[in-house]
Amino acid sequence: MRLAELSERSGVSTATIKYYLREGLLPPGRQINARTAEYDEEHLRRLRLVRAMIQVGRVPVAKVREVLGHVDDDSLGRAIRLGAAVWALPQVPEPDEDDEYVQTAHREVTRLLDRLGWENTKQLATISPAYRSLVVAVAAFRRLGYDFGAELLAPYAELMHRTAVLDLDNMETYASEAERVEFAVLGAILNEPVLQALHRLAQEEETTRRYGFE
Amino acid sequence: MRLAELSERSGVSTATIKYYLREGLLPPGRQINARTAEYDEEHLRRLRLVRAMIQVGRVPVAKVREVLGHVDDDSLGRAIRLGAAVWALPQVPEPDEDDEYVQTAHREVTRLLDRLGWENTKQLATISPAYRSLVVAVAAFRRLGYDFGAELLAPYAELMHRTAVLDLDNMETYASEAERVEFAVLGAILNEPVLQALHRLAQEEETTRRYGFE
């Protein structure tokens, strides 16, 4: 298809597509002559992904380029390629390791991982942004006087693990590795708003079931 | 306790506490003489809640006052008081009802609620921010060519319902109604970062279990 059709089918303006091409976020089309290039379904799919990252995920252009570099690098293992997206999302600031609440939070999160038997995550703890986010959130609760310890967190973690199993099962329904990795990137950006909305809806449902509408 | 002790135990500066008092976010202390007031454990608890809303939840002061008004209004039913916090959190923009993807998303979300038997939520759909967020998120997926329909969403919704059951069970361990409502407000602000971090950790764990560390 030509640029105009790519624009129409994706809903992205030709000016923006040209910008993505210049920035290397979209591979060049097949050049037919000096003024015309031809694009295919893969361009359309990649364009949707780029748009989701930039418009929905608010990922900066340089970061998008970096994530796509990992996504397209066949020499990397699957776990690294799948993780590239999440690791590129905006992260919480580094915890202050001198803070006593942060230190207790580290111990509680470690106890939690032991209890769950999440050995892989424990190995990744020093480099994982997710581990860091959890420590920061648990420390914030403790600072407010709430004891969110391993016992309280464990059943939540089990439910989130079942959620992650669904995520990967859904991803594996896609036939090609390229589509799978792209779905994982999209999931990292778009899944969280869906889960958050479902959680709030479920709270509404359960609250009104227990206490009525008044 | 005096203002200085309240400041020390809460970690909030006396200047900030005076500001909260002026803004009506904290009830006045018991006046001992013209220059000295006495504060109690309830002030400390309320101060922690206000700080969580403002510093962690980034809720504007006027909104905090509105939420606390609901929290403290015994004439309101429990479901309304518990919901006040979530409804005060930053919400997604209104969906564009003329957009075809939004219209399809409404139909899919309605099918989902029917399938789940979430009758209460269905009744609240026209006024619920959570319902609106879900429609916006599902429409965003559809616009990108991904069919996030009722069948795919239902198992996620079931897991989020079990999460909501845990939320309310934990809340019910608190003895007084005031503490319960405050815990629900805090939960609305702080739970989501915890759940999000646990979900990302679980994805790491499950991905590395399936595909190894490479």
Side-chain angles (χ1 to χ4, degrees):
Chain A
M1 72 189 96
R2 302 295 162 82
L3 186 66
E5 191 185 342
L6 184 64
S7 166
E8 202 191 332
R9 286 184 61 191
S10 64
V12 180
S13 73
T14 56
T16 302
I17 296 176
K18 284 179 182 166
Y19 169 67
Y20 291 166
L21 284 164
R22 275 199 308 277
E23 290 290 326
L25 306 184
L26 205 60
R30 196 170 50 87
Q31 212 67 33
I32 295 184
N33 58 47
R35 320 192 100 246
T36 320
E38 180 80 14
Y39 301 91
D40 58 22
E41 295 299 319
E42 265 186 60
H43 285 96
L44 183 61
R45 223 177 54 215
R46 178 53 58 97
L47 186 53
R48 285 182 173 142
L49 179 65
V50 168
R51 197 174 56 151
M53 294 179 80
I54 291 176
Q55 285 186 5
V56 185
R58 311 223 170 274
V59 180
V61 166
K63 205 76 176 170
V64 172
R65 200 185 297 114
E66 188 188 323
V67 171
L68 294 176
H70 284 92
V71 163
D72 292 333
D73 186 346
D74 295 334
S75 74
L76 296 174
R78 195 186 245 185
I80 301 269
R81 290 170 77 190
L82 294 179
V86 176
W87 290 33
L89 291 181
Q91 304 296 342
V92 298
E94 292 283 333
D96 171 7
E97 301 296 344
D98 291 334
D99 183 307
E100 61 174 306
Y101 296 105
V102 170
Q103 289 164 2
T104 323
H106 271 295
R107 282 198 296 277
E108 280 307 316
V109 173
T110 304
R111 278 216 306 132
L112 173 71
L113 297 180
D114 283 337
R115 192 189 170 99
L116 295 164
W118 290 10
E119 287 305 321
N120 296 357
T121 306
K122 225 181 135 181
Q123 280 189 52
L124 295 171
T126 51
I127 53 165
S128 159
Y131 174 90
R132 210 155 57 222
S133 304
L134 186 57
V135 166
V136 168
V138 169
F141 262 111
R142 298 192 80 89
R143 200 170 290 119
L144 293 164
Y146 288 86
D147 175 20
F148 255 39
E151 287 69 26
L152 192 138
L153 289 171
Y156 284 103
E158 302 278 12
L159 290 172
M160 289 306 117
H161 182 236
R162 293 180 54 180
T163 307
V165 168
L166 283 179
D167 294 338
L168 292 186
D169 286 349
N170 283 326
M171 186 197 76
E172 291 184 355
T173 62
Y174 287 90
S176 79
E177 187 67 15
E179 281 174 301
R180 288 177 176 197
V181 177
E182 288 188 1
F183 183 76
V185 175
L186 267 181
I189 291 160
L190 291 180
N191 246 349
E192 284 172 2
V194 171
L195 279 185
Q196 184 179 303
L198 284 173
H199 181 224
R200 291 183 181 181
L201 264 186
Q203 284 182 324
E204 256 177 39
E205 179 69 24
E206 185 63 20
T207 303
T208 48
R209 279 189 199 172
R210 292 194 191 194
Y211 315 124
F213 282 95
E214 291 303 296
Chain B
M1 73 189 97
R2 302 296 162 82
L3 186 65
E5 191 185 342
L6 184 64
S7 166
E8 202 190 333
R9 286 185 60 193
S10 63
V12 180
S13 73
T14 56
T16 302
I17 296 178
K18 284 179 182 167
Y19 169 68
Y20 291 167
L21 285 163
R22 276 200 306 278
E23 290 289 327
L25 305 185
L26 205 60
R30 197 169 50 85
Q31 211 67 33
I32 295 183
N33 58 46
R35 320 192 99 249
T36 320
E38 179 79 14
Y39 301 90
D40 59 22
E41 296 299 319
E42 265 186 59
H43 284 97
L44 184 59
R45 224 177 53 215
R46 176 56 54 98
L47 187 51
R48 285 183 173 141
L49 179 64
V50 168
R51 198 175 54 151
M53 292 179 82
I54 291 176
Q55 285 186 6
V56 185
R58 312 224 170 271
V59 181
V61 166
K63 205 78 177 172
V64 172
R65 200 186 296 114
E66 188 189 323
V67 171
L68 294 175
H70 283 93
V71 162
D72 292 335
D73 187 345
D74 295 334
S75 75
L76 295 174
R78 194 185 246 185
I80 302 269
R81 289 170 77 191
L82 294 179
V86 175
W87 290 33
L89 291 182
Q91 305 295 342
V92 298
E94 293 282 334
D96 172 7
E97 301 295 345
D98 292 333
D99 182 308
E100 62 174 306
Y101 296 105
V102 169
Q103 290 164 2
T104 322
H106 270 295
R107 283 197 297 276
E108 279 308 314
V109 172
T110 304
R111 278 216 305 132
L112 173 71
L113 297 179
D114 283 336
R115 192 188 170 100
L116 296 164
W118 290 11
E119 286 304 322
N120 297 357
T121 305
K122 225 182 132 180
Q123 280 188 53
L124 294 171
T126 51
I127 53 166
S128 159
Y131 174 89
R132 210 154 56 222
S133 304
L134 185 57
V135 166
V136 167
V138 169
F141 262 112
R142 298 191 81 88
R143 200 171 291 118
L144 293 164
Y146 287 86
D147 175 20
F148 255 38
E151 287 69 27
L152 193 138
L153 290 171
Y156 284 102
E158 302 277 11
L159 290 171
M160 290 304 118
H161 182 236
R162 293 179 56 180
T163 307
V165 167
L166 283 178
D167 294 338
L168 292 185
D169 286 350
N170 283 326
M171 186 197 75
E172 291 184 356
T173 62
Y174 286 89
S176 79
E177 187 67 15
E179 281 174 300
R180 288 178 176 197
V181 177
E182 288 188 0
F183 183 77
V185 174
L186 267 181
I189 291 161
L190 292 181
N191 246 348
E192 284 171 1
V194 172
L195 280 185
Q196 184 179 299
L198 285 174
H199 181 223
R200 290 182 181 181
L201 265 185
Q203 283 181 325
E204 256 177 40
E205 180 68 24
E206 186 64 20
T207 303
T208 48
R209 280 189 199 171
R210 292 194 192 195
Y211 315 123
F213 281 95
E214 292 303 296

